[in-house]
Amino acid sequence: MKNKISDLRNHLFSVLEELTDPDSTYDISKAKVVADVAQVIINSAKIENDYIKIIGGSHGTGFIEERNEVKQINEKN
């Protein structure tokens, strides 16, 4: 999967940094749209996660990177 939660997080922090820069001319309405789209993506990931839990899946879609620690915990349970 090309776009992951870390990419979204990095993009949102970039927008936040731009907005807090006193010399920035970043459009506030554009920032609101970015935040709205990010929320839709996050909500979509939550639904996918719920679906995976319901069907008893053991692996995600790739949007949220799996780390070794998480895999080890899941294997123990």
Side-chain angles (χ1 to χ4, degrees):
M1 174 174 254
K2 180 181 173 189
N3 296 311
K4 303 200 179 287
I5 191 76
S6 59
D7 299 321
L8 176 61
R9 186 179 301 118
N10 290 336
H11 185 72
L12 291 173
F13 276 116
S14 175
V15 171
L16 183 61
E17 289 170 6
E18 185 70 27
L19 288 171
T20 57
D21 180 358
D23 298 325
S24 174
T25 58
Y26 198 87
D27 184 15
I28 298 296
S29 62
K30 182 177 177 181
K32 288 179 181 180
V33 170
V34 169
D36 289 346
V37 170
Q39 189 60 58
V40 169
I41 294 169
I42 291 166
N43 290 341
S44 166
K46 287 178 182 179
I47 291 169
E48 286 181 28
N49 188 47
D50 290 345
Y51 174 74
I52 291 167
K53 285 180 185 177
I54 289 168
I55 65 168
S58 61
H59 296 288
T61 62
F63 179 63
I64 299 173
E65 299 94 342
E66 290 189 45
R67 298 201 170 117
N68 288 335
E69 310 89 60
V70 175
K71 287 181 184 177
Q72 291 172 356
I73 290 170
N74 287 338
E75 289 171 359
K76 289 178 184 178
N77 293 329

